[in-house]
Amino acid sequence: MKSASFRLAVVLAVLLGPPVWSVADRVWAETSYFPIPSVSSSKNDGNDAGLIVPVLVTDPDGELRYIHAPMLIHNSYLGARGTYNLFRYDPGGRLMKFQASLTEDIERKLVFTFTDPALSDGRYAFSFGGAFFKNATSRFFGISQDTPESNQSNYTAREVRADWKFGVYLNEVTQVALSQRYREVRVQTGGVTEFPYAGQVFASVSGMQGASILGHRVTFHYDTRDNLISPTVGTQVTSYAEVNQNFRNGTNPLYTRYELDFKKLFPSESKRMILEVRGNIQTTFGFTVPFYERSSLGGQNNLRGYGVDRFIDDHLIVLNIEQRIHVLRTRVANVMAEFEVAPFIDMGKTFNTFKKRQFQDYEATPGIGFRGIIRPGTVGRIDYGYSKEGGAVFAGLDYPF
């Protein structure tokens, strides 16, 4: 699901400085309006241009409580898009997100999520969410890392998603969680006419006929970081095992997925420089697993020089190294904001067997990021990564990992 224009606009709202309008009342310390132009470019999603009005609402202590962001954007592939975004930040790390959008050609989106990381005085964690969307700029190149760029095809991913997760803290830094997810996918004609329709070019690939997936997951979390959203020190280890059933595959409906994710932050004594190292391993086992359920490289969170889902196969290995450098701290819109530059390099590969070439054939994408941070709960970023197929730009309201 993409919302790059909105995320980039909020990043720019922070980077551009004081708001155009601010009002105060007895309940909230300040409500700040940012009418700003929005321009973005994505390797898969095309070019966006339009206007967004992020509204930042702070409480009397200067803590950010709400972000409202109506937007009107024109996309080079799909035409005009109207969107409303809402973020609500509550004490204890609770976060609610809502987004609704309507695009002139094909795309629709309705998303809701709620997260409480410290339920019942911190003994439990709970989250749930649901979504319906049509992403008309999805790309598929085939299975394996050897697929050439000339294989590029386009499709619309029409999806319904729902999920919940309940975690129990074994101690202050260790959690075990149970979760379920439902994902219904239909592959339809895409909105990017310059590329062929994936459903015709790759008609025999598992998943092109759609899928209805119910997944059951057990997750182990170990987290010593000092903050969930904008950490400066600590270690995080996450691993899960998941059993899935595809109700649209009567012959081989079951498959399993596993993941191990490790992150470590190495701050300088002043914390003006923070080195983060991240390693990730994902595996998928089963017959006729839908291609969008396999391990994937490319996009804003792992191999930032490529578009989303550039390489797909059963398994993947990723190594990310990022140096975050503090450059400025100042007051913006009644809150203290910090700014970082972050040179990085991402390395990774997808593959279908562990029997050979584990230390060969890695893709590498160097790049640089720019970050605006309102601690403890808001991070805006713009990342540019370079690859042998060119460059890619990604924007987000979070760190990449």
Side-chain angles (χ1 to χ4, degrees):
M1 295 179 292
K2 58 181 183 292
S3 54
S5 297
F6 162 65
R7 293 179 294 201
L8 180 57
V10 175
V11 175
L12 291 175
V14 174
L15 297 177
L16 286 175
V20 176
W21 298 301
S22 296
V23 298
D25 58 32
R26 292 177 298 175
V27 179
W28 306 109
E30 188 169 324
T31 301
S32 306
Y33 302 81
F34 294 83
I36 59 173
S38 171
V39 179
S40 68
S41 179
S42 170
K43 202 170 185 68
N44 286 6
D45 301 335
N47 302 318
D48 284 351
L51 182 69
I52 305 182
V53 188
V55 181
L56 276 61
V57 182
T58 59
D59 65 18
D61 296 324
E63 296 292 331
L64 183 64
R65 293 295 303 276
Y66 292 91
I67 297 177
H68 302 268
M71 57 187 283
L72 182 61
I73 299 294
H74 184 273
N75 178 265
S76 57
Y77 289 136
L78 306 172
R81 175 185 298 127
T83 304
Y84 172 70
N85 303 274
L86 171 64
F87 287 69
R88 173 175 172 171
Y89 303 89
D90 288 321
R94 290 189 298 275
L95 174 62
M96 185 271 287
K97 301 179 184 179
F98 173 78
Q99 182 182 65
S101 74
L102 179 66
T103 304
E104 183 178 354
D105 187 13
I106 301 177
E107 292 197 341
R108 309 287 185 268
K109 183 185 295 184
L110 190 65
V111 181
F112 175 84
T113 62
F114 174 82
T115 302
D116 187 346
L119 183 67
S120 187
D121 297 323
R123 290 180 292 180
Y124 310 108
F126 179 67
S127 64
F128 68 93
F132 167 79
F133 65 91
K134 300 175 73 173
N135 180 359
T137 60
S138 300
R139 305 300 170 85
F140 184 62
F141 297 78
I143 303 296
S144 93
Q145 192 163 297
D146 297 326
T147 55
E149 188 178 9
S150 60
N151 273 16
Q152 185 168 192
S153 63
N154 170 235
Y155 68 97
T156 293
R158 179 191 181 277
E159 297 199 27
V160 176
R161 297 185 182 184
D163 63 86
W164 66 267
K165 182 178 181 179
F166 182 78
V168 178
Y169 289 98
L170 305 182
N171 53 44
E172 291 183 353
V173 298
T174 308
Q175 179 196 125
V176 176
L178 298 176
S179 61
Q180 285 184 309
R181 68 185 180 100
Y182 178 75
R183 184 183 188 188
E184 182 177 301
V185 183
R186 299 294 182 267
V187 175
Q188 301 174 341
T189 303
V192 186
T193 56
E194 63 186 86
F195 299 114
Y197 171 42
Q200 293 180 339
V201 178
F202 298 98
S204 61
V205 172
S206 298
M208 286 297 174
Q209 301 75 33
S212 298
I213 298 158
L214 181 63
H216 314 270
R217 179 181 295 186
V218 178
T219 306
F220 171 82
H221 296 279
Y222 173 81
D223 196 347
T224 65
R225 298 174 303 163
D226 56 345
N227 184 271
L228 296 176
I229 306 299
S230 55
T232 62
V233 65
T235 301
Q236 182 187 29
V237 179
T238 301
S239 63
Y240 72 73
E242 183 180 74
V243 178
N244 300 277
Q245 181 176 4
N246 181 4
F247 296 107
R248 292 177 64 86
N249 186 340
T251 305
N252 297 292
L254 296 179
Y255 58 95
T256 57
R257 305 198 308 176
Y258 306 89
E259 180 177 13
L260 174 63
D261 190 80
F262 172 84
K263 306 183 186 81
K264 177 70 175 179
L265 293 100
F266 300 91
S268 66
E269 185 175 353
S270 65
K271 293 188 177 180
R272 297 181 65 86
M273 298 183 66
I274 300 172
L275 176 68
E276 181 162 8
V277 178
R278 180 247 191 156
N280 182 269
I281 299 174
Q282 298 177 26
T283 62
T284 308
F285 298 99
F287 298 99
T288 61
V289 179
F291 68 91
Y292 34 78
E293 284 283 293
R294 300 189 187 194
S295 301
S296 167
L297 275 181
Q300 65 177 346
N301 296 323
N302 55 29
L303 207 60
R304 284 169 279 181
Y306 290 98
V308 177
D309 294 339
R310 174 58 184 92
F311 304 107
I312 296 176
D313 214 324
D314 292 332
H315 320 301
L316 71 77
I317 297 176
V318 175
L319 175 65
N320 307 100
I321 302 173
E322 181 170 289
Q323 179 70 67
R324 298 170 185 170
I325 305 170
H326 175 88
V327 295
L328 178 66
R329 187 172 189 264
T330 187
R331 182 168 292 276
V332 177
N334 201 45
V335 295
M336 292 304 300
E338 301 178 22
F339 299 90
E340 297 176 342
V341 296
F344 63 82
I345 184 167
D346 302 332
M347 295 170 283
K349 64 178 291 186
T350 60
F351 53 100
N352 62 6
T353 177
F354 285 92
K355 296 180 180 179
K356 60 181 180 179
R357 299 192 306 180
Q358 292 310 307
F359 298 100
Q360 301 179 34
D361 303 327
Y362 280 78
E363 298 287 340
T365 60
I368 190 166
F370 302 92
R371 313 291 162 68
I373 307 162
I374 301 174
R375 299 189 188 277
T378 304
V379 176
R381 67 181 172 100
I382 301 171
D383 289 339
Y384 171 80
Y386 178 78
S387 72
K388 63 185 180 183
E389 294 181 359
V393 178
F394 297 98
L397 278 179
D398 50 17
Y399 279 117
F401 41 82

